[in-house]
Amino acid sequence: MKILSAVQIREWDEWTIANEPVSSIDLMERAADACTAWLMQRFDKTNRYQIFCGKGNNGGDGLAIARILTEHGYTATIFIVGKEGPGSPDFETNLKRLKKTTKDIHQLSSTGSLPGINDDDIVIDALFGTGLNKKPTGLFSKIIKHINKSWALIVSIDIPSGLYTDKSSLGNDVITAHHTLTFQQVKLAFLIAENENFTGKISVVDIGLSTDFYDQVKSDLELVDETKIKSIFQPRREFSNKGDYGYACLVAGSYGMMGAAILSARACLRSGVGKLTCYTCKEGYAIMQTAVPEAMCKISGTTFIKDVKDLRDFSAVGIGPGIGQHPSHRQLLKKIFAEFDKPLVIDADGLNTLSKYPSLYSSIPANSIITPHPKEFERLFGKSSDDFERMKLAMQKAKVLHIYIVLKGHHTFIATPEGMGYFNSTGNSGMATAGSGDVLTGILTALLAQKYSSLHSCIFGVYLHGLAGDIAARRVSKEAMIAGDITSHLGEAFLSFESISFKR
């Protein structure tokens, strides 16, 4: 699913109006109908609605919602906020329509008092829309703070007021909504961690915007959905053997950190790889052979891995889980980068070691995958002032280094050397647990070994990881989830793709 900017969203509206054809006021009515239907399905007439409207088209949506609610017998009080004078043309049209159904309409001013909000009220936020281009000040700032202090249920229309669509809103006063009813598609702002507290539960309402515009518009950001995954997934052939599914190698583990190696190895094997060898240390040999009997082992070093040999036989190599941070690992990485001419997966202490030696960055094999969490990303590439800047920096570094950067988080972001960025749509907070990243490393290494491209390995691997985590959360809860639960539910995640026929 393409993620569109604020400008593109406005152009989408304009295209629909010009080409469907539908008038702008009728498009606004569609939006109001969809929002009101959502509200009436969930709340009865015992609650009073307090509807705060700016004088732009988002305010026009709010006025139309107020009219439909009052026509159906709901109690609604409307507050108009803005400078003296008329609002947008569609705002004015809806104001005239609203005055035919209710007189409970009030103009708020900077000198007047703000209305009381009862705990059982439902507040509709229609102050600003996706076109917001400056931080709220004055009366708007005062009203946002006033609404946020209430104990009422808050529903924002399209986007919480004060939140920019596609840039950082840090420092803004922003409505803290319990629900956001957003039009047609998820907005970029909703996928960024710094905005987590503002959106509440997001519901996408279809207002019938033109599919022709969506099909032809270009965007360098996408939200990965099931449709995308079904175009990537490669079911196994009936006439096949383990050699058809690749030979993976994991360089993982050290004394006291063999758990990371085991988690990664089990996830690799559960993700379809034909066979797996783990390079580990002597102290970890018996542990690995006992815990993961399906994997073969090679030993290097006593308490940590010192060297690797003969990597050319492997289809894919993953390095990092549990290897620790030792000065000799610089040479280890340098040797692997020089001798293995296929994409690698680098995670955890592989990244921590790499961050100490920036001169090695340019020697990372092309199309390799690195999987930092935000702190690891910061150690690699420096601090960012906000999450939007971090996203842009990831896209820049992916291009320059010709690697894929999997920036882990709730909506894990994949930056690609081709200049595209992908947000993941699966996963949950239960996966914020030690070892979850080691599981992802195993999955990605397995997919690379099976000849998925680096891009498809990232998109499919991150989605699969999150999907298994979602299934695990339903079975054991987010709170009780451990990393091994993600691996345990990979099978059920794969079963959800069982209906996909092999693409010849």
Side-chain angles (χ1 to χ4, degrees), residues 431 463-473 481 485-487 489-490 493:
M431 299 172 71
Y463 185 94
L464 187 65
H465 182 247
L467 181 58
D470 288 340
I471 297 167
M481 192 191 307
D485 294 327
I486 302 171
T487 301
H489 291 90
L490 280 170

Side-chain angles (χ1 to χ4, degrees), residues 363-412:
S363 59
I364 299 171
N367 299 313
S368 289
I369 300 167
I370 68 171
T371 58
H373 56 57
K375 272 295 177 187
E376 289 167 341
F377 183 86
E378 184 180 302
R379 285 194 283 270
L380 285 163
F381 303 120
K383 289 187 177 182
S384 302
S385 60
D386 57 67
D387 291 339
F388 287 83
E389 185 180 288
R390 185 183 293 115
M391 178 189 75
K392 290 174 184 174
L393 181 59
M395 293 186 75
Q396 175 195 335
K397 294 298 182 181
K399 246 184 196 181
V400 169
L401 298 174
H402 210 277
I403 60 174
Y404 293 81
I405 300 176
V406 176
L407 184 53
K408 294 181 287 194
H410 176 49
H411 291 290
T412 290

Side-chain angles (χ1 to χ4, degrees), residues 22-314:
V22 61
S23 66
S24 59
I25 192 67
D26 287 341
L27 187 60
M28 189 174 286
E29 192 72 7
R30 284 186 196 172
D33 280 336
C35 291
T36 310
W38 187 96
L39 292 165
M40 291 192 296
Q41 285 171 6
R42 287 160 180 81
F43 311 113
D44 60 32
K45 295 177 182 178
T46 59
N47 301 94
R48 177 181 64 157
Y49 285 88
Q50 296 219 49
I51 304 177
F52 292 82
C53 301
K55 287 191 169 182
N57 282 351
N58 192 245
D61 294 327
L63 296 179
I65 289 167
R67 172 176 49 78
I68 298 169
L69 286 171
T70 55
E71 286 173 347
H72 284 82
Y74 290 80
T75 303
T77 303
I78 298 91
F79 301 99
I80 297 173
V81 188
K83 295 178 181 178
E84 291 298 324
S88 71
D90 289 342
F91 173 92
E92 291 298 324
T93 299
N94 269 313
L95 182 57
K96 289 177 185 175
R97 292 176 177 179
L98 177 62
K99 286 178 177 178
K100 295 176 183 177
T101 66
T102 181
K103 303 297 182 186
D104 200 356
I105 305 170
H106 309 272
Q107 178 78 44
L108 297 182
S109 68
S110 55
T111 56
S113 60
L114 296 179
I117 301 174
N118 297 327
D119 292 355
D120 59 351
D121 286 345
I122 298 171
V123 172
I124 303 296
D125 156 39
L127 293 172
F128 306 120
T130 56
L132 179 71
N133 56 19
K134 62 181 179 180
K135 66 187 298 183
T137 57
L139 179 59
F140 285 104
S141 174
K142 191 176 174 183
I143 288 171
I144 289 171
K145 291 175 181 174
H146 179 64
I147 291 172
N148 286 344
K149 285 178 184 175
S150 77
W151 289 91
L153 185 135
I154 304 168
V155 181
S156 287
I157 304 304
D158 205 15
I159 189 169
S161 291
L163 198 65
Y164 297 129
T165 304
D166 45 26
K167 64 180 180 179
S168 179
S169 305
L170 291 179
N172 284 12
D173 290 314
V174 181
I175 288 288
T176 305
H178 297 98
H179 294 274
T180 297
L181 307 185
T182 197
F183 300 147
Q184 208 66 39
Q185 66 159 201
V186 169
K187 310 301 188 283
L188 175 59
F190 303 165
L191 304 173
I192 302 297
E194 69 186 47
N195 295 330
E196 176 186 10
N197 294 331
F198 303 126
T199 60
K201 188 171 182 180
I202 297 163
S203 298
V204 178
V205 293
D206 187 350
I207 63 171
L209 294 181
S210 169
T211 55
D212 289 341
F213 177 88
Y214 177 83
D215 290 342
Q216 59 86 26
V217 71
K218 303 294 184 186
S219 175
D220 58 7
L221 295 174
E222 287 189 22
L223 178 63
V224 175
D225 55 17
E226 190 177 82
T227 301
K228 183 81 172 179
I229 297 303
K230 286 183 175 179
S231 71
I232 293 172
F233 175 53
Q234 301 170 20
R236 293 167 89 93
R237 293 178 180 273
E238 293 302 320
F239 290 87
S240 60
N241 60 69
K242 67 184 179 184
D244 296 322
Y245 300 109
Y247 186 7
C249 173
L250 286 171
V251 182
S254 61
Y255 182 76
M257 291 194 289
M258 285 306 299
I262 290 165
L263 286 166
S264 195
R266 285 176 174 168
C268 187
L269 289 162
R270 286 287 185 192
S271 299
V273 73
K275 59 180 180 174
L276 168 66
T277 286
C278 294
Y279 252 109
T280 193
C281 61
K282 185 177 180 181
E283 290 284 353
Y285 176 77
I287 297 170
M288 181 63 75
Q289 291 279 263
T290 303
V292 193
E294 298 89 350
M296 295 174 284
C297 267
K298 290 190 177 185
I299 297 173
S300 173
T302 303
T303 59
F304 62 89
I305 301 165
K306 290 190 174 180
D307 192 15
V308 292
K309 297 176 182 178
D310 304 322
L311 294 178
R312 287 171 295 180
D313 291 340
F314 299 114

Side-chain angles (χ1 to χ4, degrees), residues 10-23:
R10 185 178 69 246
E11 291 171 347
W12 198 359
D13 283 348
E14 293 168 352
W15 174 280
T16 302
I17 291 163
N19 292 277
E20 189 164 316
V22 61
S23 66

